[in-house]
Amino acid sequence: MIYADNAATTKIDQEVLDSMLNYLKGDYGNSSSPHLFGRKAKEALLKARETIAKIINCAPNEIFFTSGGSESITQAILSAASWGENHNKKHIISSSIEHPAVLNTLLSLEENGFKIDLVKPNNRGIVDYKKIESLINNDTALVSIMYANNEIGTIQPIQEIGCICRKKGVLFHSDCVQAISHLDIDVNRDNLDMISFSAHKFHGPKGIGILYCKKTFALTPLIYGGAQERGKRGGTENIASIVAMAKALEIQSNNLIENELKIKRIRDFLENKLLTIEDSHINGDRQSRLSSIINIRFDKVEAETLLLLLDKKNIYVSTGSACSSGSIEPSHVLMNLDLSKEEANCSIRISLSKYNSDEEVATIFSEIKEIVNYIRSFN
Amino acid sequence: MIYADNAATTKIDQEVLDSMLNYLKGDYGNSSSPHLFGRKAKEALLKARETIAKIINCAPNEIFFTSGGSESITQAILSAASWGENHNKKHIISSSIEHPAVLNTLLSLEENGFKIDLVKPNNRGIVDYKKIESLINNDTALVSIMYANNEIGTIQPIQEIGCICRKKGVLFHSDCVQAISHLDIDVNRDNLDMISFSAHKFHGPKGIGILYCKKTFALTPLIYGGAQERGKRGGTENIASIVAMAKALEIQSNNLIENELKIKRIRDFLENKLLTIEDSHINGDRQSRLSSIINIRFDKVEAETLLLLLDKKNIYVSTGSACSSGSIEPSHVLMNLDLSKEEANCSIRISLSKYNSDEEVATIFSEIKEIVNYIRSFN
């Protein structure tokens, strides 16, 4: 099989799995237990926290372990909203191409009297930071903008937005779920107050994530429980997955440049080849973009059919739209690029990782070309 | 080492770990992806849901996967509160010996104008269902009572409380985190509307849990995201841990009677031996109690010291109090049994599992006896 759906989830690194197994099989203690077995778990927890803090350049006690990106995002936004409510600031700015975790959390706040402004990006999927600046007012509690988009890979002007938010005294959260796998994120350099990400996008396990929150802002608990995570996130710590996440991020960070060069090289090769197919178009900006993603449409070739036929050849890619709901609605991201419904429904997302090879992308190209020609022969 | 802190967390069964590894290493697809690799994950998800539903006697679509007991408990209680708010019912009844996940969620509701009644149990740690009945009024939205207590193991009159709640049209949630490991729970027989539990208490992995919710009641999402879990719980499904949890529950259920007889036998042996030590007393009811737990106090023997010395002998047990916070406050559970602060601080919890042997409990006894005598020699 050829797996090219790495924006959905990734394969666990062997070294990551090994680190996880130490705590699944061996040192399975509860880190809140007072005995040696518990203290071993607690030490592992502290070490993982330090490793991650160092990589994103924050203090260890600014790292909160969660069950994944969606939980982190929900807690970040609701915490800012809770603060806003207490300070009579019930306005939040975000973008119209955010992940459903952001959009649905904002929707729930809108139902509770918050005013939500969703900035539309340009037709290449880049949000204009000046638009955000112009929307900030005295009621604004939070700006939440994703670092990189999950469907088209476009990277947003995070440092500029961070600067503006800092200047205006507004909280800034960024959904870094996609970005963390391919970019060097520095919360200090980027002026980020809160960021969210999950391990399974960078060759770690599913069900574990991070919420970074600067120490001058107090999170509101989303999940109540004991004193875990300084009282901000209840529940027995998932040590094995936390250790695995730290290991995965360490590997990702240590090999970032090398891996990114490789992924970009094979991505560009594949993209240029695919663009030789007649009536093919890249969706989204090609410059400010993750190295891993190709979002491409082939006129008159329905993505669902293309995917089905690729699937039969054991090539796994995705549609541009979020198919998770079994929805036939076109992708909200693509519709925000001013594509027609038909254009959106003719778009696929190929997302690569360090595990993809030159041979694999050559095969992806030749199979797509054959299938596109085949489908078009019926038109 | 001798691990006798199974109420804190348990060792993963080898078979459970194997089932988990299939999805960590091999079929790591995202269950929302449309291709075969995603569909394999989705099938595993459906199968796990069916397995668990069958064991607790509900429909598969009444099972919601969460990151653990604390998340399930928080969502259950806040969902009931949200419903209550919409129906002008802002009264909740619970007990004073609940887990912090319940108590802290209720505290947050109290701060938001809910009236919370916490029923105090009798001095053996059993809640009187008639007290609950007498507290129910037209404003009552929810009764939340733990199935079995985590410190003293006492089992509450759940069927009776369920009957009362059904009769009075009040929602009934039960924290089953401890009970699920040792009792046959049937949500239908027990008149339970919602229950919460986590896998790591019955030889499954940490970081995964269940919220059962009857289909006639609509949960409020706690974590926003995509369409996962019928829109009630966002986030990429943690397939490996979900499959592992189903396997662990299946093993637990298939071997329940045999394991319970064994655990009870060694527990009773150990307890009777420990009671031969002068001035020793069992905390909590000895009849209506989980097979696995001994909560015992030795007069004039501080639990912290006893634990420390047992720790040096590689015997891992726990204090009665929740030490997670490093707090020196005595256990709220023991204080609710009308013990003095000193008595509470002289109490330890020994919690056994199917993996403990006759030899181990004999060693636990002889070491405790020696240490207790040693400590008392200083008095």
Side-chain angles (χ1 to χ4, degrees):
Chain A
M1 80 163 190
I2 297 176
Y3 185 74
D5 195 12
N6 289 283
T9 195
T10 59
K11 180 181 171 174
I12 294 194
D13 289 328
Q14 185 59 47
E15 213 183 320
V16 170
L17 189 58
D18 291 343
S19 72
M20 193 172 179
L21 283 172
N22 288 339
Y23 292 89
L24 282 174
K25 276 170 104 163
D27 292 332
Y28 58 84
N30 184 323
S31 55
S32 299
S33 293
H35 44 64
L36 177 67
F37 208 48
R39 293 198 306 274
K40 273 190 183 175
K42 194 166 195 170
E43 273 163 36
L45 186 69
L46 291 174
K47 198 165 159 256
R49 206 186 294 281
E50 276 169 17
T51 301
I52 294 168
K54 211 167 178 181
I55 294 172
I56 66 168
N57 193 20
C58 69
N61 65 2
E62 294 178 315
I63 297 283
F64 298 84
F65 294 115
T66 70
S67 70
S70 294
E71 182 186 331
S72 298
I73 288 168
T74 306
Q75 185 170 10
I77 296 177
L78 294 186
S79 292
S82 176
W83 176 87
E85 200 138 30
N86 291 333
H87 292 78
N88 211 14
K89 289 173 179 285
K90 295 184 73 171
H91 176 227
I92 296 176
I93 301 166
S94 188
S95 88
S96 57
I97 58 167
E98 298 289 312
H99 186 272
V102 170
L103 295 175
N104 287 331
T105 307
L106 294 177
L107 202 62
S108 80
L109 289 171
E110 202 168 34
E111 286 165 5
N112 284 301
F114 274 77
K115 183 175 183 301
I116 311 295
D117 273 317
L118 298 181
V119 175
K120 193 175 175 291
N122 67 19
N123 64 7
R124 287 170 293 107
I126 306 281
V127 173
D128 182 355
Y129 62 86
K130 288 182 198 135
K131 270 196 194 173
I132 291 172
E133 187 168 23
S134 70
L135 285 166
I136 293 176
N137 61 46
N138 284 336
D139 295 341
T140 310
L142 172 76
V143 171
S144 184
I145 299 288
M146 66 202 322
Y147 211 114
N149 183 270
N150 53 314
E151 295 192 21
I152 54 178
T154 48
I155 300 168
Q156 305 305 332
I158 293 300
Q159 293 184 30
E160 290 83 348
I161 300 170
C163 250
I164 292 165
C165 290
R166 192 129 309 177
K167 208 174 63 191
K168 302 231 175 188
V170 170
L171 284 167
F172 182 34
H173 166 256
S174 183
D175 162 7
C176 294
V177 169
Q178 293 295 329
I180 190 77
S181 318
H182 300 281
L183 302 173
D184 161 46
I185 292 177
D186 179 324
V187 294
N188 200 32
R189 177 199 67 202
D190 299 345
N191 297 311
L192 289 157
D193 298 326
M194 293 189 273
I195 72 170
S196 301
F197 61 83
S198 59
H200 75 101
K201 307 288 189 185
F202 51 89
H203 309 288
K206 296 178 181 62
I208 193 76
I210 286 289
L211 171 52
Y212 150 78
C213 178
K214 67 168 178 180
K215 61 176 78 114
T216 50
F217 180 68
L219 290 173
T220 307
L222 184 67
I223 294 173
Y224 292 93
Q228 296 96 348
E229 300 300 287
R230 286 88 73 207
K232 301 303 184 189
R233 205 283 186 181
T236 299
E237 294 92 343
N238 184 352
I239 302 291
S241 296
I242 288 170
V243 167
M245 172 164 61
K247 174 57 78 182
L249 191 62
E250 200 176 27
I251 294 173
Q252 190 269 359
S253 172
N254 286 343
N255 303 279
L256 189 67
I257 296 172
E258 185 190 331
N259 285 338
E260 284 306 293
L261 287 174
K262 182 206 160 171
I263 296 168
K264 188 173 184 314
R265 181 175 58 72
I266 60 173
R267 195 274 309 267
D268 288 347
F269 170 83
L270 176 56
E271 183 161 283
N272 288 327
K273 284 292 218 178
L274 289 171
L275 284 172
T276 66
I277 298 174
E278 224 172 290
D279 298 325
S280 59
H281 319 269
I282 299 300
N283 297 319
D285 197 274
R286 291 181 72 184
Q287 297 312 314
S288 181
R289 182 174 52 151
L290 295 179
S291 61
S292 52
I293 288 184
I294 302 173
N295 195 307
I296 190 167
R297 63 181 197 273
F298 303 100
D299 295 345
K300 316 254 182 231
V301 177
E302 224 178 282
E304 295 291 334
T305 316
L306 176 51
L307 247 64
L308 200 78
L309 294 173
L310 281 169
D311 193 10
K312 287 193 188 302
K313 305 253 182 188
N314 294 318
I315 294 173
Y316 303 139
V317 304
S318 177
T319 47
S321 61
C323 283
S324 61
S325 58
S327 156
I328 49 159
E329 280 298 297
S331 149
H332 75 285
V333 175
L334 299 180
M335 294 307 283
N336 268 289
L337 308 187
D338 295 332
L339 296 190
S340 69
K341 201 164 163 173
E342 198 197 325
E343 285 170 327
N345 284 335
C346 287
S347 300
I348 63 167
R349 177 186 71 183
I350 300 167
S351 50
L352 304 173
S353 83
K354 62 184 179 185
Y355 288 118
N356 290 113
S357 67
D358 292 82
E359 293 70 32
E360 283 183 341
V361 293
T363 306
I364 294 174
F365 165 65
S366 59
E367 294 292 355
I368 287 182
K369 185 175 179 170
E370 197 182 307
I371 295 170
V372 165
N373 287 337
Y374 175 76
I375 295 173
R376 282 177 174 166
S377 72
F378 290 90
N379 292 341
Chain B
M1 82 164 188
I2 298 177
Y3 184 73
D5 195 13
N6 290 281
T9 194
T10 59
K11 180 181 172 176
I12 295 194
D13 289 328
Q14 186 58 48
E15 213 183 318
V16 170
L17 189 59
D18 291 343
S19 73
M20 193 171 179
L21 283 172
N22 289 338
Y23 292 89
L24 282 174
K25 278 169 102 161
D27 292 332
Y28 59 83
N30 183 322
S31 55
S32 298
S33 294
H35 43 66
L36 177 66
F37 208 48
R39 294 198 305 275
K40 273 189 185 176
K42 194 166 195 170
E43 272 164 37
L45 186 69
L46 291 174
K47 198 164 158 259
R49 206 186 293 282
E50 277 170 16
T51 301
I52 293 167
K54 213 168 176 178
I55 294 172
I56 65 167
N57 193 20
C58 70
N61 65 3
E62 294 177 316
I63 297 283
F64 298 84
F65 294 116
T66 70
S67 69
S70 293
E71 181 187 332
S72 298
I73 287 168
T74 306
Q75 185 169 13
I77 295 177
L78 294 185
S79 292
S82 174
W83 176 88
E85 200 137 30
N86 291 333
H87 291 78
N88 210 17
K89 288 172 180 286
K90 296 184 73 170
H91 176 228
I92 295 177
I93 301 165
S94 188
S95 87
S96 56
I97 57 167
E98 298 290 312
H99 187 272
V102 170
L103 294 175
N104 287 331
T105 307
L106 294 177
L107 201 63
S108 80
L109 289 172
E110 204 168 32
E111 285 164 5
N112 283 302
F114 273 77
K115 182 174 185 301
I116 310 294
D117 273 315
L118 298 181
V119 174
K120 190 174 178 293
N122 65 21
N123 65 5
R124 287 170 291 109
I126 306 282
V127 172
D128 182 354
Y129 62 85
K130 285 181 198 138
K131 271 196 194 169
I132 291 173
E133 187 168 23
S134 70
L135 285 166
I136 294 177
N137 61 46
N138 284 336
D139 294 341
T140 311
L142 171 75
V143 171
S144 185
I145 299 289
M146 68 203 319
Y147 211 114
N149 183 271
N150 52 314
E151 296 192 22
I152 52 176
T154 48
I155 300 169
Q156 305 304 333
I158 293 301
Q159 293 186 29
E160 289 82 350
I161 300 170
C163 249
I164 292 165
C165 290
R166 192 130 308 176
K167 209 175 62 191
K168 301 230 176 186
V170 170
L171 284 167
F172 181 35
H173 165 257
S174 183
D175 161 7
C176 294
V177 168
Q178 292 295 330
I180 191 76
S181 317
H182 299 282
L183 302 174
D184 161 47
I185 291 176
D186 179 325
V187 294
N188 200 32
R189 178 199 66 201
D190 299 343
N191 298 310
L192 289 156
D193 298 327
M194 295 189 272
I195 73 171
S196 301
F197 61 83
S198 59
H200 75 101
K201 306 285 189 186
F202 51 89
H203 309 288
K206 294 178 183 59
I208 194 75
I210 287 289
L211 172 52
Y212 150 77
C213 179
K214 66 170 179 178
K215 63 175 77 105
T216 49
F217 180 68
L219 290 173
T220 307
L222 184 68
I223 295 173
Y224 291 93
Q228 296 96 347
E229 300 299 288
R230 286 90 73 207
K232 301 302 184 189
R233 206 284 185 182
T236 300
E237 294 91 342
N238 185 352
I239 301 293
S241 295
I242 288 170
V243 166
M245 171 164 60
K247 175 57 79 182
L249 192 61
E250 201 175 27
I251 293 172
Q252 189 270 359
S253 171
N254 286 342
N255 303 281
L256 189 65
I257 295 172
E258 187 190 329
N259 285 338
E260 284 306 293
L261 286 174
K262 181 206 160 172
I263 296 168
K264 189 174 183 312
R265 182 175 58 72
I266 60 173
R267 195 272 311 264
D268 288 347
F269 170 83
L270 176 56
E271 183 161 284
N272 287 327
K273 284 292 219 179
L274 289 171
L275 284 172
T276 65
I277 298 174
E278 226 173 289
D279 298 325
S280 60
H281 319 269
I282 298 300
N283 297 318
D285 197 274
R286 292 181 71 183
Q287 297 311 314
S288 183
R289 182 174 54 150
L290 294 178
S291 62
S292 52
I293 288 184
I294 301 173
N295 196 305
I296 190 166
R297 63 180 198 273
F298 302 100
D299 295 346
K300 316 254 181 227
V301 176
E302 226 179 280
E304 295 291 334
T305 316
L306 176 52
L307 247 65
L308 200 78
L309 294 173
L310 281 171
D311 193 12
K312 288 195 187 299
K313 305 253 182 187
N314 294 318
I315 294 174
Y316 303 139
V317 304
S318 177
T319 47
S321 62
C323 282
S324 60
S325 56
S327 156
I328 49 157
E329 280 299 297
S331 149
H332 74 286
V333 174
L334 298 182
M335 294 307 282
N336 268 287
L337 307 189
D338 295 332
L339 296 191
S340 69
K341 205 166 160 172
E342 198 200 326
E343 285 170 327
N345 284 334
C346 287
S347 300
I348 64 166
R349 177 187 70 184
I350 300 167
S351 50
L352 304 172
S353 83
K354 62 184 179 185
Y355 288 118
N356 289 113
S357 66
D358 292 82
E359 292 70 32
E360 284 183 340
V361 294
T363 307
I364 295 174
F365 164 65
S366 58
E367 295 292 356
I368 287 181
K369 185 175 178 170
E370 197 181 309
I371 296 170
V372 165
N373 286 337
Y374 176 75
I375 296 173
R376 282 179 175 165
S377 72
F378 290 89
N379 289 342

